[in-house]
Structure formats: structure tokens, C-alpha cells
């Protein structure tokens, strides 16, 4: 009997794809079978309307599915099948994608708020359209036995749902109910959610187990509880994430339609929203925005329905360490922070922080790519069809790993700061985990040029002769090109790359660059005037050090003596003069720090980017009247901020408001770099401008740079972080391009 063999590739496992195909087959009168295998979904079909059946596979796919390809070939049946069956998964290895964890769907939310005793109030309700995926997965194909749900035997009712192709829980691997599934625990009592809510409303702090790890939670309207949490966690000023239902969010913010879409997506990320000053300032001191997320598990919904107020949901970890995921680990590490631990007996296979994003007028901006977004993949741009399997190991801070295979790039979840020993352990585990899970066998290895990065050392130890060392800012440029589908032969682009620190190809420290290049190479077309970093790494923590260096460089030492009268100026100046622990750097991030110090940011930063974030918040309070951007000089590709300091000091002398000064600084920096990049376009050296680097997480700087670029074609980050969290993607594409050129 003649029929078709249909191969479906993409995100097609763990999304209800096989029951969807079963229902589709019934609709079109098709007989045959469907199964999961390492490459995705495989269908054998015969019937009168095969063309329409094949067309509907992509057009009518389930909500969590992403169909990359539907491939057909002739198939001969030994005998005409009389029915359409869903058969057992086959094979080992992994050529298909894994579905990210998905927020509770409306149907399951109705179940937990309904009257059926199996699921009413049950904190682990899910179906094929929602629930845990990546955080419970041990291996592929995606079957229950290969998840942390394998230890929970299904009751008869759940087994019947699981076996019924017409049920939305058909082959939903985490399917469970109150009779047979995981259970909550809080001090070994009953009515766990009600007691947790009561304790939160009484001002207590609870550690709560979520999908990818524990959160530390308290009442976000209780200033005393917030202060206690900050004291216990030694987190004095870093913003705290909030969780609330729409009722709570709308009481304290006015999300735009685009922000609502982001909040309510299946990824359920933290989204930065402008706040209305109706919650304690201690949630985000000095900031104009708060990070909100909707409840994304049944437990979160049940808890929010009970407390009926916004809750702080910040990562449950010791400062600098990875998020806690195990119950015993929570007792050991969070017991000193929390007054109680709300846990459950379903294990977490891998720790995932909450994803973080903001919405600008130019689209979404991913700040941290983690739960709900990973392990989704990006299709490689044209020209990379024959790319080898590559693994790239990213940076030292905001570390992430990227795998290239079969025309796709898989950027791992956010791993963190590799200075921390436990984060380093997680990095090494993630390398092995992703390789095993996706059956990845790299032929080429890529890393940052900096030999002191632990990620670079790890790459060198693994790679042998197959190592490609990539300059930091070139990787930023390539990352932006890749996510914008820029072809391998698309020509050169002017990249404005503004960030903190990265080793330059000349051995100095870069960070305020205009590069001209593509995947295969680049030239440094322009850069910020380098200045010393007094004290080396200390300059990244204490903004006044950068102010001293920049004022001295601009011939304004007398001003520095007055403004920094209590600082050890002479010691640092001697160190700078002797070149002792004061390397030169063109860092835009340190220029932000210096200007923040000019406007009054004193002391040390308690978290990375604090001074720059406060400077942006200050500028946003100035309104839309920019006035004249502060001037920068440009000579032979060197962008000099000296004129800016003269103008800013004149403003200070006149009593100009600090908000307006912060705004003029942003505008001047944007104008200076945009002018240089536009010249490369006008001289026909570049075909577009790419904006990348951590400074472009600053939405105001992004907007002002885009405006200054006028009608130039612009490439932006919308799918991967502009910060170092996206660096591995650029490294991987550069390594693949160089490998292609060697063939």
C-alpha cells in the first residue's frame, strides 16, 4: 500500500504533537501511525487527502510547538492500516528540540480553581499545553521515565487521561493529581497554601520551591519584611523581583499592550515596568522600574489567590551562589534567611533562574535568558547550512554556553559569575549536560580571547588544536548579526559595541568601540579615549575612581581635588603614573560610572551596573527636553569625552538639575558613537549598524542612539541578551565562519 513517510522537525516533543496528529488523521480520514524519535516526530500515513493532511501539520500545530520543517517521502505499507495509532518512542540520541517550561494554561488554571477533588487546589496540575519540561528532563526522547516524574506512578484516572488521545493530558509526561502526584510540605502540616499565606501576611519570609529552584518570598507591601530580607540576604540595594496577578500588577503599574503580551507569554518572564510609587522604595532603591512576573505554576496561582497582594520572589541563594534546587540544600543554605521552607517532593533536574526582559519602543529586550526561554534554538543565518558542530563557552560573567548543530544554535540558560566556585561547578555540569542531552559532539571549540577567564581555560582544556579564540567585542557584533539572520556573505557592518570590559586584540582593555566587520573578521574603526582604571577591578566597584581618572585626563585635576577631597587621590595618581594596577581602558561602562559619581553616586556599587542604572533612572525623570547633547571630540577614530566634562562642570556651576545633566550625558554619548558609525555607512564601508554590549540594556541610550542614527539600517538584540549572556552565540558563529573559510 502506497503512502507517505512524514518527518516533522522542530519543537515537537512535549507539546501534545502526537495527539494533535492523531486528531488531524481522524479529521482527514488518514490511517497509519505516529511516534517520537531522536529527530522529532515521525508519521507513516495513507489516505485520500494526504496533501491537506500534510499542510495542516504546520498550519494548525499546538500552541507550544514550533515546526521547522515537514519533510515527506514515499512509504510502502505491507498492508493497508485500518486505524491511526500512536506508537512507542524509538531510538536514542537527540536531533530534535526540547520544549521550555511553560506557564500554567487557562484550562489547568480553571481546574485548580474548580471542584474536581483530584485537581482542585492541586499545586502540580498540568497538561500538554503547560507545565514543567526542561527542568524535569533527564534525557531524550521526552518520555515520563526520563523525567523526575518517573518515580510517581499514575493512578487509574491519570493513566486513563494519559492514554486517551482525545484528552489534553494524553502523553503529558508530568501528568498527576492529588491522588498520585507530588505533594507540598511546610513544617509537616496540612493546608500548606493557607498556612504559607498566613505566615507571609504576618511578615515572615518563606523559601518556596518553584520550577527551576527556590525563591525567597515575602509580602511586597511590607517594608519591614523587605528590610529583613535584605539584611538577611546581604542584598542592600539590588532590585527585588515581584510576582502578582493582573489585579496586583495593575494596581502598581500601567503595562503597555506589548508588556502585557510579554508578561502573559508561556515563558512568563520577569518584565521591567515603570512603577507608580505605590510600593515601598526599598524594593528597588533609586530605580524607576520594578520587575514583575505573573504566577506561572499552580502553586503560585494558589498562593496569590490567597494572599491577594504582590509578593517578592527573589532567587533563593547565598550571595553570588547558584539558586538552590534541592530540599536538603534549602534547609542548609536558606534556613538562615527564611522563617519557613515550602517545598515539594518532585526533584528539579536542572536549576533555571527566571528570565528577565524589558520592552522598548523597538521591541523586546532579553536581559537574562533562562526559564521559559531555554532550550529554544535559533536558526543559523544563510551560509551556515554546512556549519560543523561547535561549542562556545562565553564570558566570565553572565556566562552561558552555545551549541551549534544541524543548522541551529542553542544558547544555554544563564549560568552566572564564574568566580564563584559553585557557579563554576554548575558551568562544568552544564557543559556535560547539554552535550549529553542533545547528543552533541563538537568539532570546533570557541572561547573569549582573555586567557584568565575560567570559560577560556575550560575551552582550551577540552579543545586541543580545535580552539578558536574570539575577541570579546567581535563576539558581541557577531551575536547581533546572528540573531538578525545576517548572511555569512552579507558584507561588513558597523558595530557600536558599548560594555564594561573585554580584552582587546591589542592586549589593552576595550569597552567603547566602533567595529567594522562581519563573522570572519573586523577592524577597530573608532573607540572611546582610553583612561586608567585605578585599582584595576576596584574601579568596577567604586565609581569615584573612574571620575578621578577621567577628570585628571581632561586636565581638571583641581576640580577632582575639590570633588574627591576625602579620597586617597595621591596614592592612586602615583599608581597611575607608574602604571601599577591601573590598566588603560576604553570602557563605556566605566564612563557611565564616572558620570554617576559626578552627580553624587558615592561609595561602592552593591551590584554590577548599579551606578549606571541610577543614572538612567535620573535621566528618565528629566522628561523629554534634552537640550544640547554634551559634546565629545573625535580625532582619528578616538572619541574623547574631555569636552563633555567641561560642559557638565559648567552645568553644575550654574545649578542645572542633575536629571537634565544625566539626560544630556546619554544624548552626547549616543550622538558621538552614532556619528562615527554613520560615516562608515556614508563612505560605503558598511551596510548596516549593529548595536550590542551590556550598555545597550539601557533603554534610554538605545533610543537615543537609534534616533541619532537617523534612517540608517539598524540591527538590534531582541532574542538574546546584548550583554555577555549572548556572547557565546557570537563566538560560535565566528568559529563556524572561520571553519567554513578554511575548507
Amino acid at each position: 500500500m502506497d503512502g507517505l513517510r512524514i518527518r516533522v522537525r522542530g519543537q515537537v516533543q512535549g507539546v501534545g504533537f502526537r495527539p494533535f496528529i492523531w486528531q488531524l488523521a481522524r479529521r482527514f480520514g488518514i490511517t497509519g501511525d505516529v511516534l517520537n524519535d531522536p529527530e522529532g516526530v515521525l508519521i507513516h500515513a495513507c489516505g485520500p487527502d494526504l496533501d491537506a493532511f500534510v499542510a495542516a501539520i504546520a498550519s494548525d500545530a499546538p500552541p507550544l510547538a514550533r515546526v521547522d520543517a515537514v519533510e515527506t517521502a514515499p512509504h510502502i505499507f505491507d498492508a493497508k492500516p485500518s486505524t491511526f495509532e500512536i506508537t512507542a518512542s524509538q531510538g536514542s540520541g537527540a536531533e530534535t528540540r526540547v520544549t521550555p517550561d511553560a506557564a500554567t494554561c487557562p484550562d489547568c488554571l480553571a481546574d485548580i480553581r474548580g471542584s474536581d477533588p483530584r485537581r482542585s487546589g492541586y499545586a502540580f496540575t498540568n497538561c500538554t499545553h503547560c507545565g514543567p519540561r526542561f527542568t524535569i528532563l533527564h534525557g531524550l526522547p521526552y518520555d515520563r521515565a526520563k523525567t523526575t516524574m518517573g518515580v510517581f506512578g499514575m493512578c487509574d484516572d491519570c493513566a486513563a487521561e494519559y492514554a486517551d488521545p482525545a484528552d489534553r493530558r494524553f502523553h503529558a509526561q508530568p501528568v498527576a493529581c492529588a491522588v498520585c502526584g507530588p505533594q507540598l510540605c511546610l513544617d509537616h502540616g496540612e493546608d500548606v497554601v493557607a498556612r504559607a499565606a498566613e505566615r507571609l501576611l504576618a511578615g515572615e519570609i518563606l523559601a518556596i520551591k518553584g520550577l527551576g529552584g527556590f525563591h525567597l518570598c515575602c509580602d511586597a507591601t511590607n517594608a519591614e519584611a523587605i528590610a529583613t530580607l535584605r539584611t538577611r540576604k546581604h542584598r542592600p540595594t539590588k532590585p527585588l523581583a515581584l510576582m502578582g496577578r493582573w489585579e496586583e500588577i495593575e494596581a502598581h503599574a500601567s503595562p503597555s499592550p506589548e508588556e502585557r503580551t510579554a508578561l502573559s507569554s508561556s515563558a512568563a518572564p520577569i518584565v521591567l515596568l515603570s512603577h507608580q510609587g505605590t510600593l515601598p522604595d526599598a524594593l528597588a532603591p533609586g530605580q524607576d522600574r520594578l520587575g514583575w512576573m505573573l504566577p506561572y505554576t499552580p502553586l503560585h496561582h494558589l498562593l496569590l489567590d490567597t494572599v491577594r497582594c504582590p509578593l517578592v520572589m527573589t532567587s533563593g541563594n547565598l550571595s553570588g551562589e547558584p539558586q538552590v534546587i534541592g530540599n536538603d540544600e534549602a534547609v542548609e543554605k536558606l534556613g538562615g534567611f527564611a522563617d519557613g521552607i515550602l517545598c515539594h517532593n518532585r526533584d528539579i533536574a536542572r536549576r533555571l533562574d527566571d528570565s528577565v526582559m524589558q520592552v522598548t519602543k523597538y521591541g523586546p529586550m532579553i536581559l537574562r535568558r533562562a526559564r521559559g526561554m531555554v532550550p529554544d534554538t535559533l536558526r543559523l543565518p544563510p551560509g551556515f547550512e554546512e556549519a560543523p558542530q561547535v561549542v562556545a563557552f562565553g564570558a566570565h560573567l553572565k556566562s552561558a554556553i552555545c551549541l551549534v548543530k544541524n543548522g541551529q544554535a542553542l544558547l544555554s540558560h544563564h549560568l552566572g559569575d564564574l568566580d564563584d566556585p559553585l557557579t563554576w561547578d554548575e558551568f562544568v555540569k552544564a557543559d556535560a549536560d547539554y552535550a549529553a542531552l542533545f547528543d552533541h559532539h563538537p568539532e570546533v571549540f570557541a572561547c573569549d580571547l582573555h586567557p584568565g577567564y575560567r570559560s577560556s581555560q575550560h575551552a582550551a582544556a577540552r579543545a586541543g588544536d580545535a580552539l578558536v579564540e574570539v575577541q570579546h567585542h567581535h563576539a558581541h557584533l557577531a551575536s547581533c548579526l546572528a540573531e538578525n539572520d545576517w548572511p555569512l556573505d552579507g558584507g561588513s557592518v558597523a558595530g557600536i559595541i558599548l560594555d564594561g570590559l573585554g580584552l582587546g586584540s591589542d592586549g589593552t582593555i576595550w569597552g567603547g568601540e566602533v567595529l567594522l566587520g562581519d563573522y570572519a573578521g573586523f577592524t577597530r574603526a573608532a573607540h572611546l579615549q582610553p583612561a586608567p582604571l585605578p585599582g584595576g577591578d576596584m574601579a568596577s566597584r567604586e565609581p569615584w575612581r573612574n571620575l578621578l581618572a577621567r577628570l585628571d585626563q581632561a586636565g581638571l585635576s583641581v576640580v577632582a581635588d575639590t570633588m574627591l577631597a576625602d579620597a586617597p587621590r595621591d596614592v592612586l595618581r602615583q599608581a597611575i603614573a607608574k602604571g601599577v594596577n591601573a590598566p588603560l581602558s576604553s570602557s563605556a561602562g566605566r564612563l557611565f560610572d564616572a558620570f554617576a559619581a559626578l552627580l553624587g553616586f558615592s561609595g561602592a556599587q552593591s551590584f554590577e551596573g548599579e551606578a549606571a542604572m541610577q543614572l538612567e533612572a535620573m535621566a528618565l525623570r528629566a522628561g523629554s527636553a534634552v537640550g544640547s547633547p554634551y559634546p565629545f571630540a573625535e580625532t582619528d577614530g578616538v572619541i574623547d569625552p574631555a569636552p563633555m566634562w567641561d560642559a557638565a562642570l559648567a552645568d553644575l556651576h550654574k545649578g542645572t538639575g542633575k536629571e537634565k545633566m544625566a539626560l544630556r550625558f546619554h544624548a552626547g554619548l549616543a550622538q558621538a558613537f552614532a556619528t562615527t558609525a554613520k560615516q562608515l555607512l556614508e563612505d560605503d564601508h558598511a551596510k548596516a549598524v549593529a548595536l550590542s554590549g551590556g550598555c545597550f540594556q539601557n533603554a534610554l541610550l538605545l533610543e537615543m542612539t537609534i534616533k541619532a542614527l537617523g534612517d540608517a539600517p539598524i540591527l538590534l538584540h531582541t532574542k538574546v541578551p546584548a550583554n555577555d549572556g549572548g556572547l557565546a552565540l557570537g563566538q560560535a558563529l565566528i568559529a563556524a565562519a572561520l571553519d567554513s573559510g578554511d575548507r
Side-chain angles (χ1 to χ4, degrees):
M1 176 66 190
D2 292 342
L4 286 180
R5 181 183 187 274
I6 306 167
R7 161 66 63 200
V8 188
R9 302 185 187 277
Q11 187 171 290
V12 291
Q13 293 190 13
V15 296
F17 211 87
R18 289 176 298 171
F20 156 68
I21 294 296
W22 181 84
Q23 291 167 352
L24 206 62
R26 296 185 69 182
R27 176 174 141 199
F28 287 101
I30 302 298
T31 58
D33 60 71
V34 59
L35 58 88
N36 281 345
D37 69 4
E39 295 187 50
V41 168
L42 182 63
I43 306 163
H44 301 105
C46 65
D49 204 359
L50 284 174
D51 289 344
F53 172 71
V54 171
I57 290 173
S59 64
D60 298 354
L64 294 183
R66 276 183 49 191
V67 177
D68 291 338
V70 179
E71 303 163 358
T72 61
H75 179 74
I76 299 176
F77 290 89
D78 293 334
K80 180 180 179 181
S82 59
T83 60
F84 192 88
E85 303 290 340
I86 297 175
T87 59
S89 299
Q90 295 181 0
S92 61
E95 305 297 330
T96 190
R97 292 212 298 274
V98 176
T99 304
D101 301 271
T104 305
C105 72
D107 288 334
C108 284
L109 185 56
D111 285 345
I112 67 172
R113 291 173 174 168
S115 57
D116 182 346
R118 291 177 55 238
R119 296 220 164 81
S120 178
Y122 183 57
F124 303 91
T125 299
N126 64 86
C127 70
T128 53
H129 304 313
C130 68
R133 298 292 191 275
F134 193 46
T135 51
I136 64 170
L137 183 66
H138 287 312
L140 292 175
Y142 176 67
D143 286 318
R144 189 180 181 96
K146 293 190 176 183
T147 73
T148 61
M149 285 297 298
V151 298
F152 297 96
M154 286 181 277
C155 66
D156 289 345
D157 289 329
C158 283
E161 293 170 336
Y162 184 87
D164 182 1
D167 195 287
R168 81 173 197 277
R169 293 191 168 94
F170 175 79
H171 277 240
Q173 306 306 338
V175 67
C177 72
V179 175
C180 63
Q183 299 295 323
L184 297 173
C185 177
L186 177 63
D187 302 331
H188 308 291
E190 301 294 328
D191 300 322
V192 170
V193 171
R195 288 190 297 111
E198 181 180 352
R199 294 177 67 169
L200 289 168
L201 292 174
E204 292 192 21
I205 297 165
L206 296 183
I208 298 177
K209 191 175 185 179
L211 279 182
F214 278 82
H215 289 107
L216 289 170
C217 178
C218 71
D219 179 354
T221 67
N222 187 328
E224 185 177 347
I226 295 165
T228 300
L229 174 59
R230 285 198 176 280
T231 299
R232 290 180 183 177
K233 200 181 177 186
H234 305 293
R235 186 173 176 169
T237 58
K238 190 174 183 178
L240 299 170
L242 305 179
M243 180 178 284
R245 305 169 302 168
W246 283 117
E247 295 94 315
E248 285 79 45
I249 293 176
E250 290 169 343
H252 304 288
S254 299
S256 67
E258 294 79 12
E259 289 167 338
R260 287 177 176 274
T261 297
L263 283 162
S264 58
S265 71
S266 63
I270 296 169
V271 179
L272 302 186
L273 303 176
S274 297
H275 68 80
Q276 300 169 346
T278 51
L279 289 170
D281 290 341
L283 290 169
Q287 305 301 319
D288 284 2
R289 295 180 297 174
L290 293 172
W292 285 93
M293 56 183 156
L294 287 168
Y296 56 82
T297 71
L299 173 58
H300 294 141
H301 281 286
L302 293 168
L303 194 56
L304 267 296
D305 283 351
T306 307
V307 297
R308 307 186 75 80
C309 71
L311 296 175
V312 169
M313 284 281 182
T314 188
S315 294
N317 61 337
L318 297 174
S319 181
E321 289 190 2
Q323 191 175 19
V324 169
I325 62 172
N327 294 346
D328 292 341
E329 184 187 14
V331 172
E332 176 189 351
K333 293 189 173 182
L334 304 182
F337 297 162
D339 300 304
I341 297 176
L342 199 173
C343 62
H344 55 73
N345 59 340
R346 184 182 70 203
D347 288 341
I348 297 172
R350 55 186 56 78
R351 68 189 81 222
L352 290 183
D353 286 304
D354 295 310
S355 293
V356 183
M357 66 177 293
Q358 62 181 326
V359 178
T360 75
K361 63 175 60 178
Y362 306 102
M365 179 188 293
I366 308 301
L367 307 180
R368 184 169 70 198
R369 192 170 182 271
R371 177 197 49 77
M373 297 182 180
V374 176
D376 199 4
T377 62
L378 296 168
R379 185 185 65 188
L380 298 185
F384 287 95
E385 291 81 5
E386 303 301 320
Q389 291 195 29
V390 181
V391 61
F393 291 105
H396 192 75
L397 304 177
K398 297 183 177 65
S399 61
I401 297 168
C402 184
L403 281 61
V404 166
K405 179 181 178 182
N406 293 343
Q408 300 281 331
L410 191 162
L411 183 63
S412 81
H413 58 287
H414 166 85
L415 292 165
D417 179 356
L418 299 185
D419 279 328
D420 177 74
L422 292 179
T423 303
W424 170 245
D425 288 344
E426 286 298 310
F427 180 89
V428 175
K429 289 177 186 176
D431 181 22
D433 178 34
Y434 276 93
L437 193 59
F438 298 98
D439 195 23
H440 193 258
H441 303 280
E443 304 163 56
V444 182
F445 298 76
C447 68
D448 193 272
L449 190 63
H450 199 305
Y453 284 3
R454 299 191 77 171
S455 54
S456 299
Q457 295 164 1
H458 179 73
R462 281 200 58 192
D465 295 333
L467 182 64
V468 177
E469 295 176 321
V470 180
Q471 198 280 320
H472 190 92
H473 301 90
H474 185 203
H476 274 305
L477 171 61
S479 177
C480 190
L481 294 180
E483 76 156 272
N484 283 278
D485 210 31
W486 191 260
L488 178 59
D489 61 356
S492 292
V493 168
I496 302 178
I497 317 296
L498 307 180
D499 67 354
L501 304 172
L503 181 63
S505 52
D506 62 356
T508 65
I509 301 172
W510 295 3
E513 315 300 318
V514 179
L515 304 184
L516 177 64
D518 56 14
Y519 300 104
F522 74 96
T523 57
R524 193 185 191 196
H527 58 85
L528 193 66
Q529 172 71 52
L533 298 177
D537 289 344
M538 288 299 295
S540 297
R541 294 191 285 273
E542 297 181 346
W544 67 266
R545 293 171 179 262
N546 301 289
L547 178 61
L548 173 68
R550 283 292 181 183
L551 289 177
D552 281 359
Q553 184 184 63
L556 299 167
S557 298
V558 174
V559 176
D561 290 339
T562 302
M563 297 192 73
L564 302 171
D566 297 329
R569 303 180 311 283
D570 292 342
V571 172
L572 290 189
R573 284 168 172 161
Q574 290 173 19
I576 291 170
K578 295 177 181 179
V580 176
N581 200 22
L584 288 174
S585 172
S586 59
S587 169
R590 300 294 77 79
L591 185 65
F592 268 91
D593 290 348
F595 201 84
L598 180 78
L599 297 190
F601 188 99
S602 59
Q605 301 187 77
S606 68
F607 63 93
E608 183 190 11
E610 180 180 9
M613 288 171 63
Q614 289 202 14
L615 192 64
E616 179 189 8
M618 193 181 296
L620 289 169
R621 291 194 287 272
S624 58
V626 180
S628 300
Y630 283 143
F632 285 67
E634 192 274 327
T635 305
D636 297 329
V638 177
I639 299 170
D640 187 358
M644 180 272 296
W645 292 113
D646 287 328
L649 290 170
D651 269 353
L652 269 182
H653 183 72
K654 291 187 296 186
T656 301
K658 292 182 179 180
E659 289 82 4
K660 185 174 181 179
M661 291 179 64
L663 191 63
R664 292 186 69 189
F665 168 77
H666 280 79
L669 187 67
Q671 184 69 58
F673 277 89
T675 298
T676 301
K678 282 174 65 177
Q679 191 63 52
L680 292 172
L681 288 174
E682 292 169 5
D683 293 344
D684 204 28
H685 296 311
K687 297 181 180 299
V689 179
L691 307 182
S692 190
C695 291
F696 280 117
Q697 292 180 151
N698 180 323
L700 178 62
L701 179 66
L702 180 74
E703 178 181 345
M704 288 186 158
T705 305
I706 290 172
K707 286 184 177 178
L709 286 168
D711 59 359
I714 300 173
L715 308 178
L716 306 175
H717 285 283
T718 59
K719 302 181 182 74
V720 302
N723 62 40
D724 282 4
L727 206 68
L729 174 64
Q731 293 172 350
L733 270 290
I734 289 169
L738 294 176
D739 181 84
S740 174
D742 290 340
R743 293 184 182 182

